[in-house]
Amino acid sequence: QSSSSSSSLLCCRYNYAMSDFEPHQMNRNYCSGRVRIAFAGSWSTGKTYLLSALLGRQYSTAQSAPAPTTDKFVCVAAGSPYSDPIRSDDYERRRHCEIMEHVNDVVRKECGGKKGMANVLDVADDNVEFGDFVFFDMPGWQTEYGSDCVYRTFFHQLIDKVDYTYVVWDVNHGKIEDDFANFFQNKARGTNYELIYNRYTRDTVDMSFLNQQYAKMSTGQEILSEMYTTKVHENNTALEEQFHEDVLRLRSKIKSVNQTVHDNRKKMMKENLILHRDKMSGLNALRRLKICDRLINEDLNLHVRPRTYHWQRWGLEL
């Protein structure tokens, strides 16, 4: 069996086992699809600018300025045949941003429909280098979002549902708000997220302050070193060459996150099945439970080679 067909069968089993649950409980995005990378952080730390540098140019609706510019959650589907907001009848591109609707389902449930929805936008981009990726450019976190159910919930859910998050930090907007830091308390740096020290210069480096802020996101026991921190220099005349080298390194780093992502997806599918296993009911519950147990004990166990059953050789799924 090829890895793609194995992955397809795995998704088929998972989707069947979870078929009686709501889409936001099912989390179909755990199973397959493009790698989803989010850029998050405080306002005006350069998230949109960095994403545009990775894509080779600004995506079609991007804005850059000293004040907050991204007031919406933007899904950017790379590898598209055009660069514009995704057309209403372009379902091939729209399905890559389906996670936005799943998040909005949770927002409606948590906050009530009368409170409105977060501002979202789906954008196509013709960059082919990241054709297997979907990027999410998030609004800069602001203090008032902590008391806004819609934005707080959307931030939390999107960070939970994407595969990997780059938290963009710079010394000029150095404070990481406590409410924002809480989204990462149960996540592991290097597995679920990474910090980017943006607009880095040797003259203004302040690792002690960054560690002070990072402690809010972690257990407080890990110390970030300058050597192992993802740094992107200020893009000015003196450091232009260094900036482009930093962006090249970041490109390579993002593309190498694939295996980590696929392992994480298996872990999340397994956790989701364990969470919902005892709630499975209906006429086909016994069969779904059997498939669920096989997924938990075999197919989604990262340390065990998946067992091949004789009937699979004839393309049967029992």
Side-chain angles (χ1 to χ4, degrees):
Q1 279 185 325
S2 69
S3 59
S4 61
S5 62
S6 298
S7 176
S8 178
L9 282 172
L10 191 65
C11 289
C12 181
R13 293 178 195 128
Y14 175 78
N15 290 339
Y16 179 75
M18 294 292 294
S19 58
D20 281 356
F21 294 97
E22 295 293 325
H24 66 271
Q25 296 173 307
M26 186 176 184
N27 280 320
R28 199 188 302 266
N29 52 290
Y30 286 169
C31 182
S32 63
R34 295 182 175 195
V35 176
R36 292 167 292 273
I37 306 286
F39 287 82
S42 299
W43 63 272
S44 221
T45 53
K47 299 176 293 296
T48 300
Y49 190 85
L50 270 182
L51 177 53
S52 296
L54 289 168
L55 294 171
R57 65 180 185 195
Q58 287 193 331
Y59 62 83
S60 65
T61 63
Q63 302 176 53
S64 294
T69 53
T70 304
D71 63 347
K72 56 183 69 70
F73 295 88
V74 183
C75 171
V76 182
S80 302
Y82 60 93
S83 293
D84 266 318
I86 297 179
R87 297 161 190 160
S88 58
D89 60 348
D90 186 356
Y91 300 108
E92 177 64 23
R93 250 57 60 185
R94 283 201 174 277
R95 70 184 178 87
H96 298 313
C97 296
E98 186 183 12
I99 188 175
M100 300 285 244
E101 188 56 36
H102 292 170
V103 170
N104 258 332
D105 286 343
V106 179
V107 171
R108 290 186 190 99
K109 182 178 179 181
E110 295 289 324
C111 305
K114 293 182 180 179
K115 295 192 177 180
M117 292 293 103
N119 196 359
V120 301
L121 179 65
D122 300 338
V123 175
D125 192 89
D126 62 6
N127 174 285
V128 294
E129 182 181 7
F130 292 105
D132 292 330
F133 290 79
V134 179
F135 295 109
F136 295 88
D137 190 6
M138 301 176 71
W141 180 266
Q142 301 181 56
T143 305
E144 55 266 31
Y145 289 161
S147 57
D148 184 322
C149 181
V150 170
Y151 272 83
R152 185 183 67 250
T153 306
F154 206 105
F155 264 91
H156 192 187
Q157 289 297 317
L158 188 57
I159 288 169
D160 268 358
K161 292 182 187 303
V162 296
D163 296 304
Y164 205 83
T165 302
Y166 281 98
V167 179
V168 183
W169 184 88
D170 79 352
V171 74
N172 300 313
H173 302 83
K175 184 180 178 183
I176 295 177
E177 298 280 350
D178 292 348
D179 288 329
F180 178 80
N182 287 340
F183 299 148
F184 298 89
Q185 282 286 332
N186 298 316
K187 298 186 180 296
R189 189 174 71 89
T191 301
N192 306 115
Y193 74 96
E194 186 58 84
L195 279 160
I196 295 177
Y197 193 143
N198 196 26
R199 300 178 182 130
Y200 172 93
T201 63
R202 176 65 62 183
D203 296 336
T204 61
V205 61
D206 193 344
M207 291 304 297
S208 60
F209 184 54
L210 176 54
N211 270 297
Q212 182 186 43
Q213 298 303 305
Y214 172 61
K216 302 176 186 178
M217 303 169 62
S218 65
T219 60
Q221 298 175 3
E222 182 188 12
I223 300 296
L224 296 171
S225 69
E226 186 177 342
M227 182 180 296
Y228 295 107
T229 300
T230 301
K231 300 184 290 288
V232 178
H233 286 72
E234 182 82 50
N235 186 16
N236 56 31
T237 304
L239 296 170
E240 183 179 4
E241 186 176 337
Q242 184 63 61
F243 171 78
H244 289 299
E245 288 180 11
D246 294 340
V247 170
L248 285 174
R249 274 195 293 271
L250 187 56
R251 278 197 180 111
S252 298
K253 200 165 190 177
I254 289 174
K255 285 187 277 191
S256 70
V257 85
N258 258 328
Q259 188 56 54
T260 300
V261 162
H262 291 299
D263 285 350
N264 282 347
R265 286 183 178 180
K266 285 187 174 183
K267 292 175 187 174
M268 289 188 290
M269 281 194 281
K270 184 174 180 178
E271 288 172 7
N272 212 34
L273 287 167
I274 292 170
L275 178 65
H276 291 94
R277 184 190 181 282
D278 293 340
K279 301 172 187 174
M280 292 181 182
S281 59
L283 294 175
N284 59 354
L286 287 177
R287 183 162 184 258
R288 288 166 59 216
L289 278 168
K290 182 178 179 181
I291 290 175
C292 177
D293 288 340
R294 178 185 159 190
L295 285 167
I296 291 170
N297 297 318
E298 297 178 23
D299 297 342
L300 298 177
N301 189 330
L302 297 178
H303 302 97
V304 174
R305 183 190 295 274
R307 205 183 337 168
T308 302
Y309 293 85
H310 295 297
W311 37 262
Q312 285 182 312
R313 296 172 185 171
W314 289 278
L316 299 174
E317 182 67 20
L318 301 178

